[in-house]
Amino acid sequence: QVQLVESGGGLVQAGGSLRLSCAASGRTFSSYTMGWFRQAPGNEREFVAAISRSGGNTAYADSVKGRFTISRDNAKNAGYLQMNSLKPEDTAVYNCAAKGETGWRYLSTHAYEYDSWGQGTQVTVSS
């Protein structure tokens, strides 16, 4: 499995931006499809965004579409989540996840399909 470490979370005012990073180590990052999920207190984990191994396919939750952008740099073994126009309801712990043994263009919006998870980074959006 690949090891994942998120960074970039913090406290931001509504309307602001943050860029989350997911650093991968241990295995070849390009072998993994990647996703971002989040969980707010009292809520279940929810899908945010996913990107295929090639970076050519992406998917977003309706709640973040048009505001968040997922990307990856396989040469740097890193994934990213650019979050703009943040809202208080975006407050949550954000986790990146990776799934191995997938096709070059495959992506998944289901948490149960992912093999490796980071520890999470807190994002707090104040109103």
Side-chain angles (χ1 to χ4, degrees):
Q1 290 184 340
V2 65
Q3 287 77 49
L4 305 173
V5 178
E6 302 94 335
S7 62
L11 173 64
V12 64
Q13 288 187 332
S17 298
L18 284 174
R19 188 194 195 207
L20 304 184
S21 297
C22 178
S25 63
R27 301 291 294 269
T28 304
F29 185 57
S30 60
S31 300
Y32 293 80
T33 191
M34 193 188 83
W36 286 94
F37 295 80
R38 67 187 182 186
Q39 186 167 18
N43 291 357
E44 294 188 353
R45 177 179 287 168
E46 65 173 350
F47 166 74
V48 176
I51 188 167
S52 62
R53 290 171 56 197
S54 68
N57 282 356
T58 58
Y60 296 91
D62 288 343
S63 59
V64 307
K65 202 170 293 183
R67 299 187 297 123
F68 290 12
T69 302
I70 189 172
S71 62
R72 66 189 296 160
D73 186 337
N74 288 337
K76 294 183 178 180
N77 288 337
Y80 307 98
L81 185 68
Q82 177 67 43
M83 306 186 295
N84 298 329
S85 302
L86 283 161
K87 304 175 181 180
E89 51 264 44
D90 294 318
T91 295
V93 174
Y94 284 71
N95 294 90
C96 66
K99 173 177 171 54
E101 300 181 355
T102 66
W104 189 237
R105 295 173 60 83
Y106 178 86
L107 57 78
S108 174
T109 63
H110 304 292
Y112 66 82
E113 293 197 28
Y114 286 83
D115 312 307
S116 302
W117 292 82
Q119 83 291 346
T121 186
Q122 175 70 47
V123 172
T124 303
V125 185
S126 63
S127 57

